[in-house]
Amino acid sequence: MVEHRPLGNALTHLILILGVALVLFPVYVAIVASTQGPGEFLRGTLPLLPGGHALDNYRLMWESGLSRSSAPPAGQMLWNSLIMALAITIGKLTISLLSAFAIVYFRFPFRLFFFWLIFITLMLPVEVRIIPTFRVVADLGMLNSFAGLSIPLIASATATFLFRQFFMTVPEEMLEAARVDGAGPFKFFKDILLPLSITNIAALFVIMFIYGWNQYLWPLLITTDPDYYTIVMGIQSMTADEGNTPWHLVMAAVVMAALPPVLVILCMQRLFVKGLTETEK
Amino acid sequence: MQTKRMTFPGRWLPYALLAPQVIVTLIFFIWPAGQALYQSLLREDAFGLSSTFVGLDNFRRLLGDPLYLNSLSVTTVFAVGTTALSMGVALLLAVTVNRLLRSRNLYTTLLVWPYAIAPAIAGVLWWFIFHPTIGILPYVLEMLGYRWNHRTSSVDAMILVIFAAAWKQIAYNFLFFLAGLQSIPQSLIEAAAIDGAGPVKRFWSIVFPLLAPTTFFLMVVNVVYAMFDTFGVIHATTQGGPAQATNILVYKVYADGFVGMNLGSSAAQSVILMIIVIALTVVQFRFIERRVNY
């Protein structure tokens, strides 16, 4: 800091505390709401202090869910979300590592063409090709399946670029030494490239897990069978009944839906920041 | 584009390595995008049995359709509002955090986690807080003499979705602003202080101009976010209402094509959105190139 001003410091902390309060407020309200009994909301405004029904609400949502909204138990939806998020993450990482390896360590015709083909996916988010993509998945018989939930989302230009960028910084001598020692492409990839990339892989894993977990439009399109509902998308069906939404239960589901990715960020903050600033989108 | 000086031999292996990525791209990206282009030139009859080639007629109709034009202006308001609000708050917080040494990491941790929350969940959270009968904020607003109701007031509904979308994005903008601030040489700021410039003057004449690349980059990213990633915010809360007041372009493509089954129009809307994404991506990449060359 350039100069020391006691008043300025107080103001700094005041602004930050207000900022943190603004950021925390909606989640605090959700947590408080999820601990209330069913009658609390009829009395008007929500109380600002936790009630005593947390265990009941969470257990009810985890085990049986909201029966009249046709959403399955939250436990099952969380499981579905986990499978989808992991499938998307691992799929993206695997195929991006392989493509980057091919683009950097081989010379072959149409290399540039493939590079641009992968690049184009950046410009075609699901949101702009909703119906034709749905048709393709329907024609392939992949509606209501984990394959349909994950495979169409695993192409990744960002990850491919990032790994290409990183492979370019790996010293030439690594490859030369490996070749001299008689290592083939697979051995080189497995024993040298993968261990070197481990921090990048971990950072991307964090970002992509959050991306996969938070998918909304895609599960909404291709799942009609509640057995495949994911939690982020399932919550929307619970609030559809305007007027008598059981908000204490919905908020319990909201907290459960938000917790896993938030925990990932809090536990792996350094990797998260690295992943975010390196992928830049 | 370069490879390594020394590469592996292999005629088929590189293609095999690329195959999974390329197949997924072709089947789920290129082919549907082509279909959207093709569909946008067709019109189906009322029963969906036959379709006729109508050229650019779908686009002409869209651009003459008051509902579409409304959606365009709603999207503009929404994108500008979300970008300005989340970047403004994030910049303020980043500048203040950057003044601190010891508690910087604590505040950063407390501020970044909402990045993990899905837009749809953020929407439900704010929907609940702003709930006209049981929400906290309408209760407070009522004491101030304002009757909040996002089910009937289009202004209230727009404010609600902007808050939900911006709240989630503060974390992202904060991290990039903080990184940008930390790359500004401290000596410049000290020199200005010696010349007698106060904190406000230093911010506007040194820090803010040097942050311009970050600000510009974030503007593009935030507009892309507001236009394409906020489907969940709208769908989980207002569903485009009341009276089309929050019917942003992405939601309209879904509603017209998937719910309303108007395929030609929906495909034409998809094509327009693709053009917008391509334009924004080009802007973003040109900018990144320039920054790398510095």
Side-chain angles (χ1 to χ4, degrees), chain A residues 1-3 5 8-9 12-13 15-17 19-20 22-27 29-30 33 41 44-46 48 95 98-99 101-109 111-112 114-115 117-125 127-137 140 142 151-152 154-156 160 164 167-168 170 172 175-176 179 183-186 188 210 214 216-217 220-221 232 235-236 242 247 251 254 257-258 261-262 265-266 269 272-273 276-277 280-281, chain B residues 1-10 13-15 17-18 20-22 24-33 35-36 39 44 89 92-93 96-97 99-100 103 105 107-121 124-129 131 133-137 139 151 167-168 170 172 175-176 186 189-190 193 198-199 202 217 221 224 228-229 231-232 235-236 250 253-254 257-258 263 266 270 273-274 277-278 281-282 284-285 288 291:
Chain A
M1 193 168 315
V2 180
E3 67 249 278
R5 300 182 175 192
N9 274 351
T12 304
H13 284 282
I15 292 175
L16 285 173
I17 288 167
V20 170
L22 170 79
V23 163
L24 286 172
F25 177 64
V27 176
V29 172
F41 300 98
T45 316
L46 174 82
L48 273 177
I95 68 174
L98 293 179
S99 338
F101 181 52
I103 286 172
V104 174
Y105 283 97
F106 291 88
R107 274 196 206 110
F108 55 95
R111 209 167 54 94
L112 216 55
F114 285 116
F115 186 77
L117 192 68
I118 295 169
F119 178 79
I120 283 176
T121 59
L122 261 190
M123 306 194 182
L124 298 171
E127 285 78 5
V128 308
R129 51 187 169 84
I130 296 174
I131 290 145
T133 318
F134 170 79
R135 285 246 180 100
V136 170
V137 175
L140 292 173
M142 285 161 68
I151 294 174
I154 65 174
S156 178
T160 309
R164 174 190 168 262
F167 290 167
M168 294 305 293
V170 172
E172 296 273 351
L175 178 60
E176 283 158 18
R179 291 285 300 271
F186 286 108
F188 176 74
I210 295 167
N214 287 346
Y216 182 82
L217 173 61
L220 185 73
L221 292 180
V232 170
I235 284 171
Q236 148 273 144
E242 271 295 341
W247 282 106
M251 284 300 138
V254 161
V262 169
I265 285 199
L266 290 180
Q269 198 183 328
F272 161 68
V273 173
L276 199 63
T277 44
E280 295 205 334
K281 200 181 134 173
Chain B
M1 192 184 55
Q2 64 203 114
T3 46
K4 296 283 181 182
R5 248 180 318 163
M6 187 185 205
T7 51
F8 284 110
L13 189 57
Y15 296 106
L17 291 171
L18 276 170
Q21 176 103 293
V22 168
V24 170
T25 304
L26 286 177
I27 296 180
F28 298 109
F29 286 79
I30 307 291
W31 169 255
Q35 283 286 307
Q39 287 273 341
E44 291 201 353
V89 174
L92 176 68
L93 293 173
T96 28
V97 162
R99 289 168 54 92
L100 301 170
S103 41
N105 288 341
Y107 281 120
T108 304
T109 307
L110 285 172
L111 288 170
V112 297
W113 58 268
Y115 177 83
I117 291 182
I121 302 281
V124 173
L125 284 174
W126 285 90
W127 179 255
F128 179 59
I129 292 175
H131 196 285
T133 48
I134 59 170
I136 288 170
L137 293 182
Y139 179 75
R151 291 214 193 83
W167 173 74
K168 186 211 130 67
I170 290 174
Y172 185 93
L175 278 174
F176 278 91
Q186 192 66 18
I189 295 168
E190 281 161 5
R202 289 202 299 268
F217 162 75
V221 171
V224 171
F228 299 100
D229 296 342
F231 174 85
H235 185 264
V250 172
V253 176
Y254 166 82
F258 214 73
L263 295 179
S266 173
S270 290
L273 280 176
M274 277 181 219
V277 191
I278 290 171
T281 315
V282 169
Q284 189 177 339
F285 272 77
I288 288 175
R291 194 179 53 170

Side-chain angles (χ1 to χ4, degrees), chain A residues 140-151:
Chain A
L140 292 173
M142 285 161 68
L143 297 180
N144 291 316
S145 71
F146 286 113
L149 276 174
S150 54
I151 294 174

Side-chain angles (χ1 to χ4, degrees), chain B residues 165-244:
Chain B
W167 173 74
K168 186 211 130 67
Q169 194 67 359
I170 290 174
Y172 185 93
N173 295 332
F174 171 80
L175 278 174
F176 278 91
F177 272 134
L178 192 60
L181 286 169
Q182 286 173 350
S183 69
I184 294 176
Q186 192 66 18
S187 54
L188 284 179
I189 295 168
E190 281 161 5
I194 290 169
D195 287 348
V200 177
K201 173 104 180 146
R202 289 202 299 268
F203 178 78
W204 288 113
S205 46
I206 297 177
V207 176
F208 194 69
L210 286 174
L211 269 184
T214 311
T215 311
F216 182 70
F217 162 75
L218 283 177
M219 269 166 64
V220 179
V221 171
N222 278 273
V223 169
V224 171
Y225 162 79
M227 289 190 72
F228 299 100
D229 296 342
T230 48
F231 174 85
V233 175
I234 305 289
H235 185 264
T237 61
T238 62
Q239 309 234 321
Q244 310 274 332

